[in-house]
Amino acid sequence: MASILRVIPFFLLAIGMFYYPQEVVRSAADGLSLWWNYVVPALLPFFILSELLLASGFVHFIGVLMEPLMRPVFRLPGQASFVVAMSLTSGIPIGAILTTRLCQENALTQTEGERLLTFTCNPSPGFMFGAVASSMLLKPELGIVLVGSVYLGNILVGILFRFYGGRGTSSSPAPTSLGRAFQALRKAQSQDSRPFGQMFGDAVRQSVNTILVVGGFIVFFSVLVNMLETYHITGGIGSLIHGLSGGLVSGQEVSALVNGTLEATLGCRSIIDSFSSLNLTIGLLAGVLGWGGLSAFAQVASFTGSANLRFLPFVIGRILHSIFAFLLSQLFLTLIKIPVFDLHLAPGPFGFMETWQMSSWIFCGIMLCFLLLSLGVRVFYSSK
């Protein structure tokens, strides 16, 4: 009986796809457009870069330098800082991919991998600025509020999850130096004897395969959400909750939140169309971006399954991140009156190059901030 129940949803989806081929083509085209304009430039170059940096030993080098920061704050080894920087730069699912790689290389324990996974799943800055704030809202200055809320909420989740997994490793940072960092670099390079040409080719092949998998998830969930709307399932849920709430929440608003639960992009579009209050709209957008959607959950699960990481901590982290992002956005909007920014950004979607450039600058800035903070923590502990 259970096996039959597992088949029925896919059978009904297949019937719907055959019955509404034009809707399927349109929604699949929307998913492909999102993938090409925002996901490929934000992820593919950094997929290749991350593979090369892992193979060249840079992650081991930077891990030694970052140990004074990562251990006291997040109870994670210094190598986790690279995953944090890449996830803040490129977005879903690069955090899951790199966390899985470090677990497979025994650089992270299972508990540390689960701890790291909880706060390395967020949209890319190019998507939040370009797709949401600039293209959908036509208010690019609000991208600062969205990005600030999502990023700070992520960091708060990471700090909170430092208590996950019991007492474990001591929070005192290990002594570090450039000498130890170079020793770790040389050791990592000696363990990977591939010539550069083979290393680069493997990085490109692996990255292209990964980006195609991500694109497949995006297209599938775009079609799924569209089919649920075509079958009036989301509308029916909205009407039901509208009746149960005594008319306090409209059916259209509930449908928008259901879409956000399934897929972040379509949820953001629905929220902007359904809610009239600017503050509430920004808060819900930040919450949906922090949640990520079941599409992001499926992507993360597909990459972390081989590392035997438990999924419940990740789900709890997404819930907390969604709540934190919502509350922080309301706090920012209270403290900062809109419009007060002068970003020189024109309303409208970002292109391929704009998304790539923004991700590049943010990556460099995050790594520089991490290095400065790590140096500060090291000086603090050495003076005690």
Side-chain angles (χ1 to χ4, degrees):
M1 184 65 181
S3 58
I4 296 177
L5 292 177
R6 292 176 61 182
V7 172
I8 290 176
F10 299 105
F11 180 72
L12 294 176
L13 179 61
I15 293 176
M17 292 174 65
F18 284 117
Y19 195 75
Y20 297 102
Q22 293 181 339
E23 292 295 324
V24 171
V25 171
R26 182 181 62 81
S27 56
D30 289 342
L32 283 174
S33 176
L34 169 67
W35 175 73
W36 175 253
N37 287 318
Y38 298 104
V39 177
V40 172
L43 286 182
L44 182 57
F46 295 97
F47 278 165
I48 299 173
L49 176 65
S50 63
E51 291 288 339
L52 293 174
L53 291 176
L54 282 167
S56 65
F58 172 81
V59 177
H60 301 80
F61 173 83
I62 204 70
V64 174
L65 298 181
M66 294 296 183
E67 192 81 9
L69 173 66
M70 299 302 293
R71 281 294 179 193
V73 179
F74 301 110
R75 282 181 62 203
L76 289 169
Q79 294 178 14
S81 63
F82 177 72
V83 182
V84 176
M86 292 297 289
S87 66
L88 295 178
T89 299
S90 303
I92 304 166
I94 197 168
I97 295 171
L98 295 178
T99 299
T100 301
R101 283 286 302 274
L102 292 181
C103 288
Q104 291 172 341
E105 295 175 1
N106 296 320
L108 296 173
T109 65
Q110 180 184 4
T111 300
E112 289 173 339
E114 293 165 357
R115 192 181 296 146
L116 178 60
L117 192 64
T118 59
F119 70 105
T120 53
C121 180
N122 52 262
S124 69
F127 175 76
M128 287 186 279
F129 269 108
V132 180
S134 185
S135 180
M136 298 181 191
L137 271 174
L138 300 178
K139 294 180 180 292
E141 66 274 7
L142 289 175
I144 291 182
V145 177
L146 291 175
V147 172
S149 303
V150 171
Y151 276 14
L152 185 55
N154 235 2
I155 299 301
L156 291 177
V157 171
I159 294 174
L160 189 62
F161 265 86
R162 76 181 305 279
F163 303 103
Y164 168 74
R167 299 183 62 86
T169 307
S170 172
S171 60
S172 300
T176 184
S177 65
L178 280 176
R180 288 187 63 243
F182 278 111
Q183 287 179 1
L185 175 67
R186 288 193 293 267
K187 181 179 178 181
Q189 290 179 344
S190 65
Q191 293 175 347
D192 191 340
S193 58
R194 291 177 298 170
F196 176 76
Q198 181 183 353
M199 184 188 305
F200 186 74
D202 291 343
V204 172
R205 278 190 291 271
Q206 180 66 32
S207 301
V208 170
N209 289 337
T210 303
I211 202 69
L212 289 175
V213 170
V214 173
F217 276 110
I218 292 173
V219 171
F220 176 80
F221 273 88
S222 179
V223 172
L224 175 62
V225 172
N226 186 270
M227 286 292 100
L228 292 177
E229 291 180 343
T230 302
Y231 277 125
H232 304 291
I233 294 177
T234 53
I237 296 174
S239 299
L240 176 62
I241 297 180
H242 172 71
L244 294 176
S245 66
L248 294 177
V249 184
S250 71
Q252 184 180 6
E253 291 172 345
V254 175
S255 298
L257 295 177
V258 171
N259 287 339
T261 302
L262 295 173
E263 211 280 323
T265 307
L266 297 176
C268 289
R269 290 175 181 168
S270 300
I271 286 171
I272 292 171
D273 293 336
S274 303
F275 292 86
S276 57
S277 169
L278 177 62
N279 282 26
L280 181 58
T281 298
I282 297 301
L284 292 175
L285 288 175
V288 167
L289 292 171
W291 167 253
L294 296 184
S295 173
F297 282 39
Q299 294 178 46
V300 170
S302 69
F303 293 112
T304 58
S306 59
N308 197 29
L309 298 177
R310 287 169 292 193
F311 208 64
L312 181 60
F314 172 78
V315 176
I316 296 174
R318 293 302 88 219
I319 295 173
L320 291 174
H321 188 195
S322 180
I323 296 172
F324 289 159
F326 177 88
L327 296 177
L328 286 169
S329 68
Q330 300 308 291
L331 177 62
F332 291 155
L333 289 173
T334 302
L335 298 177
I336 304 173
K337 299 302 179 182
I338 304 296
V340 297
F341 308 115
D342 186 17
L343 298 180
H344 305 290
L345 295 176
F350 278 21
F352 189 104
M353 287 301 299
E354 289 86 352
T355 303
W356 181 83
Q357 289 172 355
M358 177 170 287
S359 297
S360 301
W361 280 110
I362 290 179
F363 173 76
C364 294
I366 290 172
M367 292 305 296
L368 178 60
C369 289
F370 276 5
L371 283 171
L372 293 176
L373 287 172
S374 181
L375 178 62
V377 173
R378 180 187 175 193
V379 171
F380 172 77
Y381 275 95
S382 63
S383 64
K384 294 179 64 175

